[in-house]
Amino acid sequence: RLDTSSPSVRHLQDLIRHASAVHIELDGGQSVQGTICWQDHEFLAIQQERDQPLLMVNRTKVVLLRLLS
């Protein structure tokens, strides 16, 4: 269950609400860009391109998440 009092969870919810584009770096050196569609306690669902299926990213593998401007 997500702790909605956590600042990081609230920040992600703001990114989701505003459909903000983000850059995510993963453990192992891979990176992903897109918008976060939803989150749960294990995964972030990332929409990379409009016609592509959602990419599921395990939250424990995220080492950096930043807003793209």
Side-chain angles (χ1 to χ4, degrees):
R1 179 159 208 174
L2 285 176
D3 178 5
T4 56
S5 68
S6 168
S8 63
V9 171
R10 288 195 319 262
H11 181 66
L12 285 173
Q13 284 303 114
D14 281 343
L15 294 174
I16 293 166
R17 189 175 302 112
H18 295 102
S20 301
V22 296
H23 174 86
I24 301 171
E25 290 184 21
L26 305 172
D27 185 20
Q30 294 175 307
S31 64
V32 174
Q33 292 186 2
T35 57
I36 306 170
C37 295
W38 55 262
Q39 66 174 327
D40 64 19
H41 68 281
E42 291 187 44
F43 289 95
L44 301 174
I46 311 299
Q47 183 75 60
Q48 292 181 288
E49 295 184 28
R50 191 174 301 267
D51 296 334
Q52 296 295 320
L54 294 176
L55 176 69
M56 305 301 291
V57 174
N58 189 302
R59 294 171 75 98
T60 64
K61 300 300 181 185
V62 175
V63 295
L64 176 94
L65 189 147
R66 65 179 169 87
L67 182 65
L68 291 175
S69 48

